Protein backbone atom coordinates (compact mmCIF):
# COMPACT_ATOMS: atom_id res chain seq x y z
CA UNK A 1 0.00 0.00 0.00
CA UNK A 2 1.10 3.55 -0.68
CA UNK A 3 1.40 5.42 2.60
CA UNK A 4 3.39 7.85 4.72
CA UNK A 5 3.75 7.23 8.45
CA UNK A 6 4.93 9.91 10.88
CA UNK A 7 6.45 9.13 14.27
CA UNK A 8 8.43 10.81 17.04
CA UNK A 9 5.88 13.25 18.40
CA UNK A 10 5.28 13.75 22.08
CA UNK A 11 5.39 16.15 25.02
CA UNK A 12 8.44 18.35 25.52
CA UNK A 13 9.26 21.41 27.62
CA UNK A 14 9.99 24.79 26.04
CA UNK A 15 13.57 24.85 24.82
CA UNK A 16 13.61 21.10 24.31
CA UNK A 17 14.03 19.01 21.18
CA UNK A 18 12.17 16.35 19.22
CA UNK A 19 13.00 14.40 16.08
CA UNK A 20 10.13 13.44 13.80
CA UNK A 21 10.33 10.73 11.14
CA UNK A 22 8.34 10.29 7.94
CA UNK A 23 8.62 6.81 6.44
CA UNK A 24 7.29 6.01 2.96
CA UNK A 25 6.05 2.62 1.80
CA UNK A 26 4.63 1.51 -1.53
CA UNK A 27 6.73 4.08 -3.41
CA UNK A 28 10.12 5.75 -3.20
CA UNK A 29 10.90 9.40 -2.57
CA UNK A 30 13.03 9.59 -5.74
CA UNK A 31 12.02 12.70 -7.68
CA UNK A 32 9.56 13.86 -5.01
CA UNK A 33 9.41 16.92 -2.88
CA UNK A 34 8.78 16.16 0.79
CA UNK A 35 7.29 18.66 3.21
CA UNK A 36 6.25 18.97 6.82
CA UNK A 37 3.04 20.82 7.59
CA UNK A 38 1.46 21.53 10.95
CA UNK A 39 -1.98 22.45 12.20
CA UNK A 40 -2.97 23.76 15.62
CA UNK A 41 -6.59 23.85 16.84
CA UNK A 42 -8.42 26.82 15.35
CA UNK A 43 -5.65 27.56 12.86
CA UNK A 44 -5.12 26.75 9.20
CA UNK A 45 -2.61 24.13 8.19
CA UNK A 46 0.72 25.78 7.44
CA UNK A 47 3.86 24.70 5.66
CA UNK A 48 6.87 24.31 7.94
CA UNK A 49 9.67 23.03 5.72
CA UNK A 50 10.29 21.05 2.56
CA UNK A 51 13.12 19.34 0.72
CA UNK A 52 13.66 18.29 -2.89
CA UNK A 53 14.93 14.71 -3.04
CA UNK A 54 16.56 15.41 -6.41
CA UNK A 55 19.13 17.95 -5.21
CA UNK A 56 18.55 18.50 -1.49
CA UNK A 57 17.23 22.05 -1.83
CA UNK A 58 15.38 23.07 1.34
CA UNK A 59 12.92 25.73 2.42
CA UNK A 60 11.99 26.83 5.94
CA UNK A 61 9.18 29.02 7.14
CA UNK A 62 10.45 32.12 8.93
CA UNK A 63 8.86 30.94 12.17
CA UNK A 64 11.14 27.88 12.36
CA UNK A 65 14.25 29.00 10.50
CA UNK A 66 17.37 28.33 12.55
CA UNK A 67 15.53 25.96 14.90
CA UNK A 68 14.26 23.15 12.62
CA UNK A 69 16.25 21.03 10.17
CA UNK A 70 14.86 18.70 7.48
CA UNK A 71 17.00 15.84 6.16
CA UNK A 72 16.43 12.79 3.99
CA UNK A 73 17.76 9.23 4.12
CA UNK A 74 16.44 8.09 0.78
CA UNK A 75 18.05 4.66 0.94
CA UNK A 76 15.73 4.05 3.89
CA UNK A 77 12.85 6.01 2.32
CA UNK A 78 12.70 8.23 5.38
CA UNK A 79 12.70 11.99 5.93
CA UNK A 80 13.41 13.55 9.32
CA UNK A 81 12.50 16.80 11.02
CA UNK A 82 14.88 17.78 13.83
CA UNK A 83 13.18 20.37 16.04
CA UNK A 84 15.32 22.30 18.53
CA UNK A 85 14.59 25.24 20.84
CA UNK A 86 10.92 24.36 20.79
CA UNK A 87 8.35 26.98 21.76
CA UNK A 88 4.75 26.60 22.98
CA UNK A 89 3.57 28.03 19.66
CA UNK A 90 5.11 25.00 17.92
CA UNK A 91 2.37 22.85 19.48
CA UNK A 92 0.41 21.24 16.64
CA UNK A 93 -0.25 18.06 14.73
CA UNK A 94 2.61 17.62 12.29
CA UNK A 95 1.92 16.04 8.89
CA UNK A 96 4.30 14.66 6.28
CA UNK A 97 3.54 15.34 2.62
CA UNK A 98 5.17 14.06 -0.58
CA UNK A 99 4.41 15.31 -4.06
CA UNK A 100 5.65 15.09 -7.62
CA UNK A 101 4.78 17.13 -10.68
CA UNK A 102 4.79 14.99 -13.83
CA UNK A 103 3.81 17.95 -16.01
CA UNK A 104 0.53 16.45 -17.12
CA UNK A 105 -0.53 15.49 -13.59
CA UNK A 106 0.59 15.47 -9.96
CA UNK A 107 0.82 12.72 -7.36
CA UNK A 108 0.50 13.64 -3.70
CA UNK A 109 0.45 11.64 -0.45
CA UNK A 110 -0.26 12.63 3.16
CA UNK A 111 0.52 10.96 6.45
CA UNK A 112 -1.88 10.65 9.37
CA UNK A 113 -0.04 13.15 11.56
CA UNK A 114 1.80 13.07 14.88
CA UNK A 115 1.07 15.30 17.88
CA UNK A 116 3.75 17.63 19.20
CA UNK A 117 3.02 19.41 22.48
CA UNK A 118 5.40 22.00 23.92
CA UNK A 119 4.41 22.91 27.47
CA UNK A 120 5.79 23.46 30.94
Amino acid sequence: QVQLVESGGGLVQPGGSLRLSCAASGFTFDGYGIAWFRQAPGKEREGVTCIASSDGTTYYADSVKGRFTITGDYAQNTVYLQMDSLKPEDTAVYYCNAWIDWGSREDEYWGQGTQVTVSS
Side-chain angles (χ1 to χ4, degrees), residues 11-33:
L11 175 65
V12 65
Q13 294 184 340
S17 298
L18 284 173
R19 188 194 193 202
L20 306 184
S21 298
C22 172
S25 62
F27 75 107
T28 70
F29 281 135
D30 292 350
Y32 282 76

Side-chain angles (χ1 to χ4, degrees), residues 53-105:
S53 63
S54 58
D55 62 7
T57 301
T58 59
Y59 164 84
Y60 297 93
D62 288 342
S63 59
V64 306
K65 193 172 297 182
R67 300 188 297 120
F68 290 11
T69 305
I70 186 171
T71 57
D73 183 350
Y74 303 117
Q76 296 297 318
N77 240 8
T78 302
V79 170
Y80 301 97
L81 180 62
Q82 178 67 42
M83 304 185 295
D84 299 320
S85 302
L86 283 161
K87 304 174 180 180
E89 50 262 46
D90 295 318
T91 296
V93 177
Y94 283 71
Y95 298 91
C96 183
N97 166 266
W99 80 98
I100 190 167
D101 184 356
W102 299 104
S104 59
R105 71 181 185 94

Side-chain angles (χ1 to χ4, degrees), residues 1 3 8 16 22 32 36 38 46-47 80 90 92 105-106 119-120:
Q1 297 181 8
Q3 63 177 5
C22 172
Y32 282 76
W36 288 95
R38 67 186 182 186
E46 63 174 341
Y80 301 97
D90 295 318
R105 71 181 185 94
E106 295 182 356
S119 176
S120 299

Side-chain angles (χ1 to χ4, degrees), residues 34-56:
I34 307 96
W36 288 95
F37 288 76
R38 67 186 182 186
Q39 187 168 26
K43 295 185 178 181
E44 295 184 345
R45 186 172 297 185
E46 63 174 341
V48 177
T49 180
C50 62
I51 186 169
S53 63
S54 58
D55 62 7

